[in-house]
Amino acid sequence: KAPEKDDIEYIVGSGDDTSFRLDDLKGMKISSAIAERGHEYYMENRVRYICLDGTRGYAVVEGSEAYEVEFEYRDGEIRNLVCSCFCSYTCKHEFAVMLQLRETLEVIEKHYAKQYEETGYFAAVHKGTLFAFTVDGKETGSLIL
C-alpha cells in the first residue's frame, strides 16, 4: 500500500516536475534504448507490486535489486515520477511501471470499475511474488500469510 501522507520518505531519483499522459508515453522523453529495456522489464513481469491510492502511486520493480517507483496519477496524467535507482534521468524501471499501470488500469476498467470508483484504491502483486511470499515458511512445513 502507498505510504501514509504523514509518513512520506522522499526518494532521490530521476523525477522532476514534468508531466505526461499515461496514454502517450512518448511524453516521458526517453531514448529508444531505455524504452526497449523498460519494455523488456515489463514483459518479464519485473513489476512485482503496484498500487494507486487516490492520486498517489507506488511500485516495486525487480532489477539488480528491488527499486521503488513513486508517482502521482490524476485524470490520465503522471507527475512527480521518481525511482530509487542511481539514474539521474528517466529510467527503465519507471517506463516498466508506466506500462504496467496502463495495463492494470485497463483491466480494472473492464472488470472492477465500480469497486475502483468506490474506493479509489487498487493494489496488484505479481503471482510469483505472492506465491514465493506465502510459501516462505515451507522449511518448517507451514505457510505464512
Side-chain angles (χ1 to χ4, degrees):
K1 184 173 179 180
E4 296 298 322
K5 290 178 179 35
D6 294 340
D7 191 27
I8 297 174
E9 288 186 30
Y10 293 94
I11 296 175
V12 177
S14 60
D16 57 27
D17 61 356
T18 61
S19 66
F20 58 91
R21 302 274 317 155
L22 186 61
D23 59 3
D24 183 15
L25 295 182
K26 292 177 185 171
M28 290 181 78
K29 298 179 182 161
I30 59 174
S31 71
S32 59
I34 292 172
E36 184 177 322
R37 193 70 180 116
H39 186 263
E40 288 172 11
Y41 269 48
Y42 164 73
M43 294 302 293
E44 293 168 359
N45 295 310
R46 289 182 179 233
V47 179
R48 302 311 234 162
Y49 174 83
I50 189 168
C51 74
L52 191 58
D53 190 358
T55 60
R56 296 195 59 218
Y58 176 78
V60 176
V61 181
E62 178 186 339
S64 56
E65 60 184 72
Y67 294 103
E68 298 177 37
V69 175
E70 293 188 36
F71 56 92
E72 292 177 22
Y73 175 77
R74 186 184 315 252
D75 299 325
E77 193 167 313
I78 301 293
R79 291 185 181 278
N80 300 319
L81 179 63
V82 294
C83 182
S84 64
C85 77
F86 58 87
C87 293
S88 61
Y89 48 84
T90 305
C91 68
K92 61 191 172 193
H93 310 112
E94 293 166 336
F95 191 73
V97 167
M98 292 301 102
L99 292 172
Q100 187 64 62
L101 177 63
R102 194 163 60 184
E103 176 189 338
T104 303
L105 287 173
E106 288 172 3
V107 170
I108 287 170
E109 180 64 32
K110 186 174 181 181
H111 299 288
Y112 307 103
K114 183 178 178 187
Q115 295 92 326
Y116 180 61
E117 184 178 320
E118 290 172 1
T119 65
Y121 175 80
F122 80 80
V125 179
H126 181 269
K127 63 184 173 184
T129 301
L130 181 62
F131 182 74
F133 179 75
T134 58
V135 297
D136 195 29
K138 67 183 177 191
E139 300 83 31
T140 60
S142 63
L143 294 179
I144 298 172
L145 294 177

